[in-house]
Amino acid sequence: MLPIALYVINQATLPFVDFTLDEKGKALPFSSIYSIAGELDGHELKSTRPFRSPHYNMSSHALIGGGPYAKPGEVTLAHRGILFLDELPEFGRKTLESLRLPLEDKKVTISRVSQTNRYPSDFMLVAAMNPCPCGYAGTSKCECTPYTIKTYRQRISGPILDRIDMQKYVGRVDFSDGHLMSGTISSASLRNTVMLTRERQRHRFRKAGEGITTNSEMNSTQMRKYCILDDECAALLQKTYERDSLSVRARYKTIKLARTFADIDASERIQKTHLLKALFSRDLEREMRHA
């Protein structure tokens, strides 16, 4: 058992993600946000999507926004980009819990006596953590007790885990693989897959005039239209839903993720394999439920 992730270090480790702004006119809103926060360099507009990686000792005000002038925080500075939280359990409980509404509503409201500011916060949350305080859980080097490990992981509350679509353990890299930098899938191939999948989603929703571009933006009505499950898939989802006591939010996220796996395979319908991949994408939550 090794680090729990959607694991990235910095923007350079995400060569399969397109950080360029895909439509003209989008640079102004990005630049306006950074101008208000006092982080716009010179007079040039932002030309790339943001990648924010704050330290875990930050306060909830720095994350969400605040101060005497109600300035935007990291969740807004990461709008339409990536917010990367490394060492997730080391963030303060209050700080992590403040992510609930931004992750759900895609916006934040900061109120002061003299003013109320509303900022956008539609970002992709990427986080990483060790499996235990010493980092060696599952190996002979680990000195943590089961209680210590459980307490460490419980620093991330159920409601926060519920809002994270994918939670995966990262396997150990063998010396030969790390030394030779070998792999069956290249970053260029991954990037091509991501871009093709996003284009399939964009084309589907644009053709139907839905006003959205990705699966994650679907509401319940749109899900009933584009995420049809056959009887076998519906039975599998219901069985898992009841066995693991999943929330309605987790159920919807699982279906949307299954739709994305189907898009990766260029499949018109969600197949059982796509649903299984989605169901097995919540490692940490599933482990904590059965602990």
Side-chain angles (χ1 to χ4, degrees):
M1 186 184 301
L2 287 176
I4 301 163
L6 290 164
Y7 196 86
V8 294
I9 300 299
N10 52 44
Q11 182 172 328
T13 67
L14 287 169
F16 50 86
V17 176
D18 186 8
F19 280 90
T20 59
L21 298 178
D22 53 2
E23 296 179 18
K24 293 181 179 180
K26 283 190 174 182
L28 186 57
F30 280 90
S31 302
S32 299
I33 291 171
Y34 276 74
S35 177
I36 294 172
E39 294 197 14
L40 189 63
D41 297 328
H43 299 287
E44 295 184 0
L45 298 179
K46 298 285 290 184
S47 59
T48 59
R49 295 178 183 275
F51 180 95
R52 306 291 298 187
S53 180
H55 193 268
Y56 56 74
N57 68 354
M58 73 182 312
S59 67
S60 59
H61 293 296
L63 182 63
I64 303 302
Y69 301 105
K71 287 187 176 182
E74 291 292 335
V75 296
T76 297
L77 295 173
H79 178 63
R80 291 295 184 180
I82 288 177
L83 176 63
F84 175 51
L85 303 183
D86 197 7
E87 300 292 351
L88 189 62
E90 301 301 330
F91 282 81
R93 185 63 176 256
K94 180 181 178 182
T95 302
L96 286 181
E97 293 303 307
S98 67
L99 283 171
R100 291 192 190 187
L101 287 179
L103 285 172
E104 195 73 18
D105 299 339
K106 310 300 183 184
K107 60 185 178 181
V108 292
T109 301
I110 304 172
S111 299
R112 293 293 180 266
V113 175
S114 59
Q115 62 182 336
T116 296
N117 293 350
R118 294 180 178 85
Y119 297 121
S121 61
D122 188 3
F123 57 90
M124 178 186 291
L125 174 65
V126 182
M129 61 180 285
N130 285 309
C132 67
C134 77
Y136 294 107
T139 70
S140 59
K141 297 177 67 174
C142 182
E143 299 179 351
C144 301
T145 65
Y147 177 77
T148 301
I149 296 175
K150 182 178 180 180
T151 302
Y152 174 76
R153 295 180 183 177
Q154 285 180 339
R155 293 179 185 177
I156 307 171
S157 70
I160 292 297
L161 275 180
D162 202 36
R163 287 165 168 80
I164 299 178
D165 300 52
M166 302 180 70
Q167 311 145 19
K168 296 299 296 180
Y169 284 108
V170 176
R172 182 179 297 278
V173 178
D174 292 335
F175 175 79
S176 58
D177 290 338
H179 180 66
L180 298 175
M181 299 297 290
S182 62
T184 57
I185 304 177
S186 66
S187 294
S189 177
L190 282 173
R191 177 185 174 86
N192 186 56
T193 299
V194 170
M195 300 302 290
L196 285 175
T197 302
R198 289 183 66 89
E199 182 55 36
R200 289 187 188 109
Q201 295 176 19
R202 187 181 293 112
H203 175 73
R204 176 172 61 237
F205 297 130
R206 181 185 294 142
K207 183 179 179 180
E210 298 289 0
I212 59 175
T213 58
T214 62
N215 291 338
S216 64
E217 299 174 272
M218 286 190 289
N219 56 35
S220 57
T221 301
Q222 292 163 336
M223 285 180 64
R224 286 192 291 271
K225 182 178 180 181
Y226 300 108
C227 302
I228 300 173
L229 301 179
D230 59 28
D231 292 342
E232 184 180 18
C233 288
L236 175 61
L237 181 61
Q238 181 178 357
K239 181 179 179 180
T240 306
Y241 181 84
E242 295 173 350
R243 182 194 65 199
D244 294 346
S245 300
L246 296 178
S247 68
V248 174
R249 181 187 293 110
R251 175 192 172 192
Y252 284 168
K253 285 183 175 294
T254 298
I255 296 174
K256 290 180 182 180
L257 187 56
R259 176 65 263 176
T260 299
F261 281 122
D263 290 336
I264 291 174
D265 290 341
S267 174
E268 289 294 328
R269 298 180 67 88
I270 297 174
Q271 307 294 333
K272 183 178 179 181
T273 54
H274 303 138
L275 181 59
L276 285 172
K277 287 180 180 179
L279 289 171
F280 282 99
S281 293
R282 305 180 73 86
D283 292 355
L284 184 59
E285 186 178 38
R286 185 172 61 254
E287 182 177 272
M288 292 179 68
R289 288 183 187 276
H290 296 283

